[in-house]
Amino acid sequence: MDGGKFFGAFRASSGITDAVVLNHVPVGCNWGAAIFKTTSNQFDMRHACTVMHEREIVFGGEDALREALIRADELYDTPILLVIAGDAPSIIGDDVGAVVNSVTLDAEVMWMEAAGFKGSMRDGYEEALTHLAGLMNESDMIENSVNLIGFSPDDFKVDADVKEIKRLLRDAGVEVNSVISKCSLEQFKKAPAAELNVVLGQGSKLAEHMKIEFGVPYLEMEYPYGLEGTTQLTSAISEELGTGHEPEFDIEPFKKVYLYLHELYGTPVSIIGDFHAEAMANFLNWELGFNVEVSARNVDDYFEFEEGVRNSNTTILFGSSFEQNIARTLDIPLIRFCYPVFDNVCVYDDAPYAGFRGAVCLTEAIINTVMSYG
Amino acid sequence: MEMSKHDMANDDGSPLREIFRDRVFNGIHQGTTWQFHRYGINCKLSGSVYAVSEIEGAIPLIHGPSGCAFHQRLTPRKMYAPIYNLPCTDLNENDVIYGGEDKLRDNINEVYRRFHPSLIAVLPTCVSGLVGDDVSGVITELDLPCDLLHVPSEGFAHRSRESLDMIMRDYAESWKDPSRSPAYDLRGCGHEEVMFSIVDQLMEEQEIVENLVNIESFGRFTYGFRSELREIKHIFGAMGVSVNLTLPTCTVEEIKRAPAAELNIVTRNLRWAERMKARFGNDYIRKWFFYFGLDGVEKFYHDAASKLGLDGEADDAIRREKTQSLQELEKYRNIFARDDFAVSTQGFFFTPYLARIYATDLKLPIKYLCVDMQLLKALNISEETIEVMITNMQEAFEEWDLKFEVITNPTLDEMSEIAKKVDHVLSDRITPPIYEKGGGVGVTDISATRYLLFRTGFSGIVVFGKYLNRELNTGKTGQNHREPIISRFNYDKIYYPMLDDNRCSASREMWSGMWSMKSEGCDNNGRR
């Protein structure tokens, strides 16, 4: 099941880490978007809403939005307010742009229309980033630097994964300029300084936009799960930038559990998720030797996926917290790796799932889950 | 209704263990959600999703865009058990223009084909509400071998800030005179809408069976619900009264037969019970705050007996249960009488009656009752209402001849001084970690076990007494030398446990201000 365009826009916008997101919506949309974001970062409260109520539905929500903008400007210490107009104002026809233009505030204001019924979460993410690209400044190019595009602040393991990818690229002589969308406004504005954009699963519209507007070329790569996936990413970037780096990885940690890996070889598994799913399936298949029986994306028919898993020999399920019900019904373990994860936390940023270290952590998590399950 | 491993493992008969298990396994989710209420409230739709999910064999069908179903799977009242089976009509732009009724019809059929449920509850959203889809019309024309329910759950029709303020004030007014208990509901919580809908659309005329009762419940959401229900059934059984079902935690067929009960026991909202009375003639009794404590529980069963026409007949059974509990409690009372206590509690609907349990039922020699009213500010309760609560609480204590000193919103330093003047400080709210800052005030945490005191039964107070006695004997209540990690953070002075962080405080104030504006009779600043 897809979260819809509003969720995608919210996730992209709240990735500007010093921005405040003002949701022009009734209370429920605001709550829903925030509740998934805050499970693993409970004090990162940078969102508010206009509390659209029956009165706004009947008379319009423009006054409420104006009031909210003024209040937010007074209350928050933020360089920018990002207004996201959801389903209700879209239907009743609030003129959000006119309201935004009618107020003079200390903070910069940018608004976007993202009614949930008008597209998928991916659509919302892509459009929001493209919209935000209007904030970017022409900058002098920093040699051997890249932007990493495709992240959201509520992705599972996002901090650890970014840290690991940065470490690997640093070893390859590559500097990470901006992580989108997981960076400050200033870093976002300076994104055009990168020599190369690297799109990891989503954000290709922004990359295309930046190529046209700022001449920054881009690579589209899979999310770097596993030894092979990580090698592909670092090699491709290195080749594109001409840094001539040959990535090296250490398989010694895997030796410590090689007998367990033997026993798990050939394990039938199933997987569902956003763009992370395909890369994860490749790792499980190519490197752990699992048999991926059913593989699906969030936008696919969930019932078909569920039925497929039930009719398969799946013994480990990979997905989000939403898959716990299938796992419980089939009495098999669930490895959570992609959004939304609301029943596991990841607060330690040295235990990634991405990169070479991530391959080890992921393998450890799988073995531990299996061994403690029975 | 989802049944987790915890549900099954959690029924070993120990009420105390059940409380702690619920606190840990539910509380880790629910507690966080309550704190997030400082920054917003959930959708009315989520209350409806929760209530429908309690009905065995029912499937909620969201009539709206996919995003609604996506996030409503995680409903605040059931964070411990997400609603995994939550189909949705997935309305798109085309449906917004041309209407979503055809899609709804197709989806109802599809949901039946996939799940074969006993009931499909259609829950419209803001979008289908704005488009004006005729949900009732669609349901009426469909012919399926299951029941269909329409619950008006459009998210924009949620409750306003003033509703809670008004209810809180009315409660405070009624503390001394319970006959003035408020008789209106929290509008737009979603749960209420489901209850009303099932009365109107599902229940069927039955021959009323004498001495049969229905109980409104919140299932696992209420810590220790199972053992409480066991005791309620036990006491009613001794009175010659049977429990028909718990609403809405039951099957669809049971809901249809609900009007067979002579009496409904209402836990939260009255509207559904009033509707049942009007439609089927079932009387009701609401579990008010004054039914707390040994005398309160006794009164509850007497009042229920009276409603059932059992005046006098049930007296012996009720007296026996109460006497047994009093006898068991006596030894703990004697032990508690040797020491002095300070109790830290929070201002809420039930505060005076909870304090009375400590002082009268448990006979704790309380020197200081420290009442934190700050929580109420976080709930947007007005200063005027808080003043009324403080005044009426004091007057109630005087009338009940409770001699302790009431200290409102004590600071950490004041708590530290108070702690020096007593043998034990108890806290029934979530503040003990902050008292431990810098090895400060040693506090016995009774925030989980206090749930035993709110029960419609006598034994909870006994179990609490036994637990407290054991805790006091462990010597934990002296000066503490621990330094828990959570005691090392800086917290907001008013809205504990919110961190002292601009983002948190600004988001809280933002929500509070915007929500206040939605109250009737308020100006744009939320002022009346």
Side-chain angles (χ1 to χ4, degrees), chain A residues 24-146:
Chain A
H24 185 35
V25 290
V27 293
C29 310
N30 181 59
W31 175 275
I35 197 75
F36 290 140
K37 172 174 167 281
T38 40
T39 349
S40 280
N41 196 346
Q42 301 182 334
F43 71 93
D44 186 23
M45 288 291 170
R46 294 176 290 108
H47 63 271
C49 87
T50 54
V51 194
M52 292 190 77
H53 197 253
E54 281 163 330
R55 188 165 56 188
E56 283 70 35
I57 299 301
V58 175
F59 299 108
E62 294 170 11
D63 287 345
L65 174 59
R66 189 175 294 106
E67 180 65 31
L69 280 165
I70 293 166
R71 282 173 186 260
D73 190 49
E74 286 170 4
L75 289 169
Y76 290 99
D77 178 17
T78 180
I80 190 163
L81 296 168
L82 300 174
V83 179
I84 306 177
D87 300 57
S90 170
I91 296 174
I92 65 174
D94 278 351
D95 190 345
V96 177
V99 175
V100 168
N101 291 333
S102 72
V103 292
T104 306
L105 306 175
D106 289 337
E108 203 168 345
V109 184
M110 178 162 268
W111 73 276
M112 56 198 88
E113 199 271 329
F117 60 82
K118 286 189 174 176
S120 66
M121 187 164 356
R122 172 76 179 264
D123 293 336
Y125 184 88
E126 297 276 358
E127 279 187 33
L129 286 188
T130 312
H131 201 74
L132 289 167
L135 296 163
M136 289 178 176
N137 302 322
E138 192 80 53
S139 310
D140 292 337
M141 190 187 77
I142 302 168
E143 275 190 24
N144 297 336
S145 70
V146 296

Side-chain angles (χ1 to χ4, degrees), chain B residues 102-262:
Chain B
D102 289 343
K103 216 167 189 177
L104 175 60
R105 199 173 293 109
D106 292 347
N107 270 271
I108 293 173
N109 284 318
E110 181 62 13
V111 167
Y112 182 76
R113 191 187 68 77
R114 284 189 191 278
F115 296 100
H116 296 289
S118 313
L119 169 72
I120 300 171
V122 178
L123 310 179
T125 60
C126 295
V127 171
S128 50
L130 280 167
V131 168
D133 282 347
D134 180 8
V135 175
S136 291
V138 171
I139 284 177
T140 307
E141 71 190 30
L142 281 170
D143 184 22
L144 285 172
C146 74
D147 288 291
L148 299 173
L149 187 74
H150 167 216
V151 182
S153 46
E154 294 85 351
F156 50 73
H158 57 80
R159 64 191 168 95
S160 63
R161 166 260 191 198
E162 72 175 359
S163 55
L164 190 59
D165 186 58
M166 287 171 65
I167 292 176
M168 197 69 81
R169 183 180 295 219
D170 281 5
Y171 265 88
E173 299 288 2
S174 65
W175 281 338
K176 286 190 302 171
D177 179 8
S179 65
R180 295 180 58 185
S181 299
Y184 51 81
D185 299 336
L186 271 180
R187 173 179 168 268
C189 71
H191 183 273
E192 177 202 344
E193 283 73 10
V194 170
M195 294 295 282
F196 195 80
S197 297
I198 62 177
V199 173
D200 251 11
Q201 299 171 47
L202 279 185
M203 289 185 186
E204 296 171 356
E205 189 82 49
Q206 307 283 325
E207 198 159 312
I208 290 182
V209 179
E210 279 190 1
N211 303 335
L212 191 64
V213 299
N214 298 322
I215 300 175
E216 184 189 21
S217 82
F218 288 91
R220 270 183 63 202
F221 181 74
T222 306
Y223 293 177
F225 169 68
R226 272 172 295 265
S227 53
E228 182 184 10
L229 185 61
R230 264 200 303 273
E231 186 178 9
I232 292 171
K233 284 181 176 176
H234 167 75
I235 297 172
F236 271 139
M239 293 164 58
V241 176
S242 303
V243 174
N244 185 36
L245 51 87
T246 53
L247 269 174
T249 313
C250 61
T251 66
V252 176
E253 285 309 308
E254 284 172 326
I255 289 174
K256 289 180 182 176
R257 294 196 299 270
E262 199 176 349

